[in-house]
Amino acid sequence: MRLIVNGLLGILLGLVAAGGVLAAEDSPKVVVLAFELNDLTGLPNAPEELQRIELLSTTFKQELKAQGVNMVPEGERVRAEIERNSPTYLYDNVETAIELNKETGADYLIIGVALKPTYLFVYPRIIMVDVGKRAVVMSRYMQLESSWSDQQTTIRTAEKLAQLVKARLDKLGAAAP
């Protein structure tokens, strides 16, 4: 009797594990591009500001991963294109961003830009693009008002943006036929 119960438990656990693997494989693939700093101040791209934007990008991606978002690496040519153009180039040119990430097989593309119009504020902005429909399905921004040394505000901002993305992905998934 004990052997039968253990066997059934083993089968049940195997089915649960397989269901989790299948669910992960069925979840949409998402390319997440790091935030690019669009610094419009008189002293652009201060090292401290670049570090803050790096923290914003890293935390944003970590939080998405923690929430179960199926992230795939960006296309091979993305970095070169960003280096050749302005920080807002891919944000403003969705079709180009889609083409540069075509080989990834992504369902969605998230593009971030951190706009710094003054010394007082940074506005992290994101758009989510449905690759198949070639359309923006979400556009959000936050006001990041803190000093360079205040890492907690940057971390909380990244976490909130990741929560918005996850909620939108869940809503899009629920609406899919």
Side-chain angles (χ1 to χ4, degrees):
M1 181 69 163
R2 187 176 205 170
L3 186 59
I4 293 172
V5 170
N6 285 342
L8 289 174
L9 282 175
I11 291 170
L12 183 59
L13 288 174
L15 289 172
V16 169
V21 169
L22 290 176
E25 289 175 359
D26 288 343
S27 63
K29 294 178 186 170
V30 181
V31 168
V32 181
L33 301 181
F35 284 89
E36 297 298 324
L37 177 60
N38 184 20
D39 193 336
L40 305 176
T41 64
L43 299 170
N45 301 326
E48 298 88 351
E49 192 63 58
L50 292 171
Q51 288 174 351
R52 174 167 45 181
I53 301 311
E54 177 64 29
L55 176 62
L56 180 73
S57 291
T58 301
T59 305
F60 180 65
K61 288 181 177 183
Q62 288 171 344
E63 184 65 20
L64 287 171
K65 185 175 183 179
Q67 292 189 31
V69 173
N70 183 12
M71 293 189 297
V72 296
E74 65 189 34
E76 293 178 19
R77 301 176 309 170
V78 170
R79 284 287 117 207
E81 196 69 24
I82 289 170
E83 297 290 327
R84 279 195 298 273
N85 294 289
S86 74
T88 63
Y89 180 71
L90 294 180
Y91 187 91
D92 294 334
N93 294 282
V94 171
E95 288 294 325
T96 301
I98 290 170
E99 289 303 314
L100 290 171
N101 287 284
K102 193 182 335 185
E103 77 271 7
T104 66
D107 301 297
Y108 296 97
L109 177 60
I110 298 171
I111 306 169
V113 172
L115 174 63
K116 185 170 179 67
T118 73
Y119 296 104
L120 302 175
F121 306 106
V122 175
Y123 295 95
R125 304 180 299 162
I126 57 172
I127 56 174
M128 182 189 309
V129 178
D130 182 319
V131 173
K133 295 180 181 176
R134 302 180 92 77
V136 174
V137 294
M138 184 181 91
S139 177
R140 295 284 186 272
Y141 76 93
M142 296 215 164
Q143 180 173 311
L144 178 53
E145 182 179 354
S146 68
S147 74
W148 292 328
S149 61
D150 180 9
Q151 292 186 348
Q152 287 307 309
T153 300
T154 302
I155 290 168
R156 282 193 307 277
T157 300
E159 291 170 345
K160 288 177 186 176
L161 284 168
Q163 290 166 3
L164 290 170
V165 167
K166 175 63 171 145
R168 184 65 177 142
L169 284 169
D170 288 348
K171 189 173 182 179
L172 290 166

